[in-house]
Amino acid sequence: MKKAYIIGCAAIAAVALGSCSEEKFSPSGEGRVFLAANVNTDVKVFSRATEEAELGESCIIWLSNEKGVIYKYQGVDNLPVEGINLVSGAYTVEAWAGEASPASFDKRWFEGKESFELLPSQTQRVTVTCRIANVVTSVAYDESIDEVLTDYTMTVSHSKGELTFEGRDERKGYFRMPPSDTALEWTLRGTQADGSQYVATGTIEDVKQAYEYVLTVKHNPSVDNSGGVYFTIEVDESAVEINDNIVIALAPEITGYNFDITKPLVGEKGSLGRRSVFVRATSELKSVVIEAEGLAGMLGINGDNFDLFNCAEQVAAAIEAAGITHDHTYNTEAQTSLLKINFEELFTNRLENGVHDITITATDNAGKTSSAVLSFNISDAPVATDDILATDITTSSAVLRGSVLKDGVESVGFNYRQAGTAEWTYVDGVADSRSWAAGATFSATVTGLTQNTTYEYTVVSGDYVSGDIRSFTTEALPQLPNAGMEDWWLDGKVWRMEAQGDTRFWDSGNNGSATMSKTVTYYDESLFHSGSRSAYLESKFVGIGSFVGKFAAGNIFAGQYIGTEHTTNGIIGFGRPFTGTPKALKVWVKYTPGTVDYWESGVYDDIVKGKTDRGIIYIALMDDHTETFTFEGKDYNFPVIVRTYTKELFDSSSEHVIAYGEKLFTEATAGDGLIELTIPLDYRRQDVKPSYIVLTASASKGGDFFSGSSSSKMWLDDFELVY
């Protein structure tokens, strides 16, 4: 199955710096490639920084080989600076930029593609240039026009959009041509001197992307028998002039060697030893500033900051003598930098009790800047209180965490209580490893807590009780709206799955099938688990006769059907706001598959014409990332945007998926009624709580590709999230 995100892009990626270590090596069967993309624009931008930031934030880049897409990145900030190794062979990199609006004065669309061959042990840099992919239009008028025509406008259009140039509008119009359109239509309107209306129309045939068509309106003084004024419209065609080049670059990445730089390094005075920080950049580093309160006194320099790359010789000598050393490597072929900063034992042993924050700010030749804080927490306390991970908290339990600061600690535990109460409850801590030496961590799971309630906790070791009291709030127990599938109402021709006037949570393919007066998702009052109704998903051919139309899968999903493009192709926003952390989804279901009788290329390998159809239910918990899609002048924001026309679908392996579970139906369910089904959720990320839930059920798994059986059916009732 081909999966993809929907989003416009331009990007730069470093694909294949090896992981940081004390040694460097490159497997003989692999090579390293650094991918970069730039955007050739047709106009000077008002703010280069703003343009670059917008393109970088909404970017997508694909790296493919003969087997298909192997890496997909969305957003420049999500591209790995450290890169990955690639097996030698032939590759293609594709990049996109901007917004693919059907017609706009300011939304442009860029595309780029480059193929390359990577040899064993080779380091290679490949640049992809994204060039404008719009058809561009502009309008010009003779000076004499104003004498014979007023309030004039020029409208240019294709089947999916139009733009109107009012008067001497000097803007350029950008059109994203539908696959079925090869021409632009124009209409000139205005008021003549006698007050009558003038209208002229025409066609620009065989338009090409990356070409600008200038419609020049000229006045012909000839007068016809009715006194009407004649105008001529000349169309000049020329390739779009490239006036600017924007390079989207990654900011440097700052990481700790064998430790997480986002967390404090904790220990007794003189116990931390040497600590190293790596700075990676996809262009040459030009500045690395280190700053900390009291640094001047420790190093014997003027001021509490210095620049490793731009300091005087005597300052550099003082820094090294105080125990801060560095090693910088610049790869001229790949144009990448790798800097290692060592805070030697000589430096860390001098740190007194307390918290010492050292800010490291790196800037490269592309003007990209990143900062990180290296924090040393020097303490004589035997143990320290740590933060709870977001996923450690449920509705009735939490995992308390702490760290050992000194060797020889024999007992550890926690005090906890409900916020606002006086009495503490003690619980023993359990070592997270076999060692109780300084640097070890420990935890304790407390249960029986009340949902949606704030608690406090702190660490304990023998007679020592830490004054560092931290808090957390247990989760509520969110469930799904209309989980029993009882509420339905008819919105025009479309059946909705909520009580009329309620906030919409569910949607279905009914929005598309209703255009052909067909319904693929409805309620059934003859088959249900509880209440009086279930959701009835029926796959069928939606069209006129047997030839005009498409196969449509019966389906429901948490989200919104945004619209239909290219006659029958749906645009869907998946996901609704959700903050719970359930362990599983329960649902009552009945499934009866038919034989696959509709099939299109690009379908799943397990959907074969003449074989048994397959149904699917899947659930995903997502982070706070959203995508934006503009349709008919309105922006839609969802965790996932699906477009069946471009085969841009939900990707269950996305880095934005926190937890995922699915049930694939390969045969009919047992019995005549609904059966209870449990779909466990596999949590892949522990660093963040969910912000959205994606939940989809389909009577035909291949419905994304208009493939399946016109006789497949699924009944659903009583969804329940299990905590």
Side-chain angles (χ1 to χ4, degrees), residues 271-314:
S271 67
L272 293 177
R274 183 196 207 200
R275 298 292 179 168
S276 298
V277 173
F278 282 101
V279 181
R280 307 176 182 88
T282 54
S283 62
E284 188 171 10
L285 286 167
K286 69 175 183 180
S287 170
V288 177
V289 176
I290 297 178
E291 182 175 9
E293 184 178 351
L295 206 56
M298 290 186 66
L299 305 183
I301 62 176
N302 293 324
D304 285 340
N305 65 75
F306 60 88
D307 189 337
L308 280 177
F309 285 33
N310 302 284
C311 60
E313 290 185 7
Q314 60 269 31

Side-chain angles (χ1 to χ4, degrees), residues 60-114:
I60 190 170
I61 189 166
W62 287 1
L63 180 64
S64 309
N65 60 14
E66 72 280 359
K67 296 181 180 179
V69 178
I70 54 175
Y71 288 106
K72 295 175 288 184
Y73 296 106
Q74 178 189 321
V76 169
D77 291 341
N78 294 321
L79 293 168
V81 179
E82 75 280 5
I84 57 173
N85 287 320
L86 293 176
V87 176
S88 57
Y91 293 90
T92 298
V93 60
E94 298 173 86
W96 299 266
E99 294 186 52
S101 175
S104 175
F105 284 114
D106 55 11
K107 296 175 181 177
R108 293 168 291 157
W109 179 248
F110 305 90
E111 298 177 354
K113 185 176 183 179
E114 191 74 29

Side-chain angles (χ1 to χ4, degrees), residues 535-537 589-591 615-617 665 697-699 713-716:
Y536 175 50
L537 286 52
V589 59
K590 177 177 175 59
Y591 181 61
I616 192 169
I617 302 173
F665 296 87
S698 177
K713 300 174 178 61
M714 181 182 287
W715 290 259
L716 300 167

Side-chain angles (χ1 to χ4, degrees), residues 319-524:
I319 294 167
E320 185 172 355
I324 301 178
T325 63
H326 70 280
D327 178 26
H328 177 227
T329 302
Y330 177 63
N331 187 320
T332 55
E333 182 180 0
Q335 300 177 35
T336 58
S337 288
L338 180 61
L339 170 68
K340 183 182 180 185
I341 308 171
N342 303 307
F343 295 87
E344 305 288 354
E345 188 173 5
L346 175 64
F347 176 83
T348 62
N349 283 351
R350 296 175 60 189
L351 298 176
E352 300 293 341
N353 283 353
V355 177
H356 305 268
D357 289 337
I358 301 175
T359 302
I360 303 171
T361 303
T363 305
D364 61 21
N365 279 336
K368 295 294 183 179
T369 298
S370 294
S371 293
V373 177
L374 172 63
S375 184
F376 294 97
N377 184 357
I378 310 301
S379 174
D380 289 331
V383 289
T385 310
D386 292 343
D387 285 332
I388 292 180
L389 299 176
T391 52
D392 283 344
I393 306 169
T394 70
T395 56
S396 60
S397 67
V399 180
L400 311 182
R401 298 187 181 275
S403 298
V404 176
L405 304 184
K406 300 174 65 174
D407 292 336
V409 171
E410 296 181 356
S411 65
V412 294
F414 299 89
N415 283 341
Y416 73 96
R417 66 185 178 186
Q418 184 175 324
T421 63
E423 186 175 349
W424 293 93
T425 299
Y426 175 80
V427 60
D428 284 326
V430 178
D432 296 330
S433 65
R434 294 182 179 180
S435 172
W436 281 107
T441 59
F442 57 94
S443 61
T445 300
V446 292
T447 59
L449 306 181
T450 303
Q451 66 161 319
N452 198 27
T453 301
T454 299
Y455 290 84
E456 297 174 330
Y457 71 101
T458 190
V459 291
V460 177
S461 178
D463 294 332
Y464 173 80
V465 179
S466 173
D468 181 8
I469 299 175
R470 307 195 184 188
S471 64
F472 64 90
T473 301
T474 53
E475 294 181 336
L477 285 169
Q479 290 291 341
L480 304 175
N482 196 23
M485 298 287 110
E486 296 294 311
D487 298 325
W488 297 74
W489 70 287
L490 187 59
D491 180 10
K493 295 182 178 181
V494 180
W495 280 99
R496 304 290 187 193
M497 285 164 284
E498 72 270 348
Q500 189 169 359
D502 284 356
T503 300
R504 184 168 303 162
F505 179 86
W506 301 99
D507 213 336
S508 71
N510 285 344
N511 301 267
S513 64
T515 60
M516 295 289 185
S517 299
K518 297 289 182 67
T519 296
V520 295
T521 300
Y522 191 52
Y523 64 82
D524 190 341

Side-chain angles (χ1 to χ4, degrees), residues 182-184 204-208 213 237:
T182 60
L184 287 172
I204 309 173
E205 300 284 358
D206 299 322
V207 294
K208 297 175 288 187
Y213 297 86
E237 173 192 289

